[in-house]
Amino acid sequence: MGFIAFLLSIIFTLVFIYLGVYSLYLFIFSVLGKLIKQKPPPAATAYSKFVIYICAYKEDAIILNSAAQALTIDYPKDKFHVCVIADSMQPETIEKLKAMPLQVVEVVFESSTKSKALHAAIAATHQDFDAAVVFDIDNIAAPDYLHQINNYLHNGNRVIQGHRVAKNTETPVAILDAISEEINNHIFRKAQQVFKLSAAIIGSGMVLEFKLFKDTMAQIDAVGGFDKEMGLVLTRQKIHVAYADKAYIYDEKVSNPEVFKKQRRRWLSAQFNLLKTYGLTGFKELFAHGNFDYFNEIYQTAILPRILMLGLMPLMLLISLLTPGIGPGWHLWLAATACCYIGILVAVPGEFFNSKLLGAVLKIPLIFFTMLALLFKLKGANKKFIHTPHNPGAN
């Protein structure tokens, strides 16, 4: 074997280890998450008191409906308080919000971030609450959302991530975004509980004990990816994140390809920035303190988006067929590719297998190359807040 062939063999082997371990991870968590059922907590006999923070940046056409919907949650009215953090809102919108039975915290930042908005809201919160809830501007909670969360709090959980689901699937991009969300919910939240690991926190629909929320947010000042950083801060302290599968929070999915591209660029940049900052600490916490939960959280910042896996795995399988004797054999790549695809498909809820799915699947190649290109365009994406516009007509 010549030097070039030897070098390629080393590279292909390292690539196989990275992609193969990830494929096996997807397969194991996805399949066992389906096979092993989790028992929900018993119904609580007392009511926790919640403050619901709604982070609202511009989007005046959306916040009035979202705020009104939050006030209608089926829970004792004296046991929850709605606080809208109004960032760069129009005066008439502020006036209408103040006419509602809720708190309005007006903020204007030179450079807006969700972290800054939540810091301002915490400073303006003067009542005693048991737990803090974080919603995005477009989020609509199911009527029993707080009841479901309350059950988990009274069962000893300090941090709970709700089940965020799509409220719009009108375009192929929105369908793929909705499917991606549900795959995440299954593999990185629900199935994690099977192994007593923490669910991955999302930026909304999450709940923390109020004091813990204040203490945790005091350690976070991220431009993007504050939720991922929150997960790292919590698991490093060995604080478990539970997943409330029946606590539904309806979230608008991205419908426009350009908006999708900007959003994913921001997410990828935040992910790799956190990996650069925290990556090596995962090994220290694992070997020095036995904190596998934190190591698992770090690992999740090191993995590629699944849309890239859908393209890279068959591509590497093809390369292995064309280059016999260099790196792992094609049969190993075939096994890894099968694990990857089975893991992803098993995690897709049955209701998505309908007539709209084909149109969405046909968009995957375009999105694959878009995401691949974004990997080389991340510089500066995590330096400034990139707003994701919403569609007021989404339902």
Side-chain angles (χ1 to χ4, degrees):
M1 180 184 291
F3 177 74
I4 298 298
F6 174 75
L7 185 60
L8 285 175
S9 185
I10 294 295
I11 293 172
F12 285 179
T13 300
L14 292 175
V15 171
F16 176 78
I17 291 172
Y18 175 81
L19 297 180
V21 168
Y22 184 13
S23 297
L24 189 61
Y25 186 97
L26 292 174
F27 178 82
I28 291 173
F29 278 91
S30 185
V31 172
L32 291 185
K34 287 287 185 181
L35 295 177
I36 301 175
K37 303 301 181 183
Q38 298 290 300
K39 289 185 178 180
T45 57
Y47 295 108
S48 300
K49 190 174 184 181
F50 297 94
V51 55
I52 300 175
Y53 293 123
I54 304 178
C55 301
Y57 176 73
K58 298 184 177 180
E59 304 284 4
D60 296 67
I62 294 174
I63 185 55
L64 295 175
N65 177 62
S66 298
Q69 290 287 340
L71 292 168
T72 66
I73 292 175
D74 181 19
Y75 197 76
K77 300 304 178 186
D78 62 333
K79 293 294 184 179
F80 75 98
H81 170 74
V82 177
C83 174
V84 175
I85 308 128
D87 186 351
S88 307
M89 292 280 174
Q90 298 297 322
E92 54 268 30
T93 304
I94 298 293
E95 186 178 344
K96 290 177 181 177
L97 285 170
K98 288 183 175 179
M100 297 181 181
L102 51 77
Q103 180 184 6
V104 181
V105 176
E106 297 180 63
V107 295
V108 178
F109 303 110
E110 183 177 343
S111 178
S112 295
T113 68
K114 186 181 286 188
S115 298
K116 290 179 181 178
L118 289 170
H119 286 311
I122 291 169
T125 302
H126 304 299
Q127 299 181 47
D128 290 328
F129 293 99
D130 297 307
V133 184
V134 178
F135 286 170
D136 277 343
I137 190 172
D138 60 304
N139 289 162
I140 304 296
D144 66 341
Y145 173 83
L146 289 181
H147 280 289
Q148 293 288 342
I149 295 296
N150 189 52
N151 293 341
Y152 279 83
L153 280 173
H154 283 267
N155 199 45
N157 296 286
R158 304 180 68 192
V159 185
I160 306 103
Q161 174 61 57
H163 184 161
R164 202 168 69 178
V165 296
K167 63 180 179 181
N168 63 304
T169 52
E170 75 283 1
T171 70
V173 173
I175 292 170
L176 289 176
D177 200 7
I179 291 174
S180 177
E181 181 91 275
E182 288 297 356
I183 292 172
N184 282 338
N185 285 332
H186 179 69
I187 295 176
F188 298 106
R189 297 184 184 97
K190 184 178 180 180
Q192 299 289 318
Q193 309 295 293
V194 171
F195 296 90
K196 309 301 180 186
L197 296 170
S198 287
I201 289 180
I202 328 174
S204 62
M206 61 187 185
V207 182
L208 288 82
E209 285 183 350
F210 188 70
K211 185 179 184 306
L212 178 61
F213 180 67
K214 289 199 297 183
D215 293 344
T216 303
M217 284 305 303
Q219 303 175 57
I220 296 173
D221 192 26
V223 174
F226 98 97
D227 49 341
K228 292 184 181 297
E229 186 168 12
M230 177 176 280
L232 291 169
V233 170
L234 291 168
T235 53
R236 193 169 189 175
Q237 300 174 74
K238 298 189 176 181
I239 296 173
H240 179 75
V241 180
Y243 176 61
D245 190 40
K246 301 300 182 183
Y248 295 110
I249 180 81
Y250 298 94
D251 177 74
E252 183 189 331
K253 298 293 104 184
V254 174
S255 299
N256 183 287
E258 282 303 311
V259 174
F260 180 91
K261 185 164 71 173
K262 289 180 180 179
Q263 183 193 64
R264 262 44 181 192
R265 178 171 177 255
R266 171 168 56 89
W267 288 1
L268 280 171
S269 179
Q271 178 178 331
F272 289 127
N273 187 62
L274 287 172
L275 179 62
K276 182 173 64 175
T277 304
Y278 291 94
L280 293 178
T281 64
F283 292 98
K284 177 183 176 182
E285 292 296 320
L286 176 63
F287 295 116
H289 306 292
N291 192 345
F292 188 78
D293 200 16
Y294 180 72
F295 181 81
N296 182 56
E297 196 82 17
I298 291 287
Y299 175 72
Q300 290 177 14
T301 68
I303 56 181
L304 291 171
R306 286 174 313 283
I307 193 75
L308 289 178
M309 291 293 286
L310 290 174
L312 287 175
M313 294 308 294
L315 177 61
M316 293 307 299
L317 174 59
L318 176 61
I319 291 174
S320 70
L321 287 168
L322 297 175
T323 57
I326 297 180
W330 66 266
H331 55 288
L332 290 176
W333 278 109
L334 178 62
T337 302
C339 284
C340 174
Y341 273 72
I342 292 171
I344 291 173
L345 286 172
V346 166
V348 179
E351 61 264 25
F352 283 101
F353 292 96
N354 54 40
S355 58
K356 293 182 179 180
L357 183 61
L358 178 60
V361 168
L362 293 176
K363 287 283 186 181
I364 289 179
L366 175 61
I367 295 177
F368 167 76
F369 287 110
T370 298
M371 294 291 289
L372 194 62
L374 286 180
L375 292 176
F376 304 95
K377 299 178 181 179
L378 299 181
K379 187 177 180 180
N382 202 46
K383 300 296 184 183
K384 185 178 179 181
F385 174 68
I386 301 174
H387 172 55
T388 302
H390 297 84
N391 174 19
N395 52 49

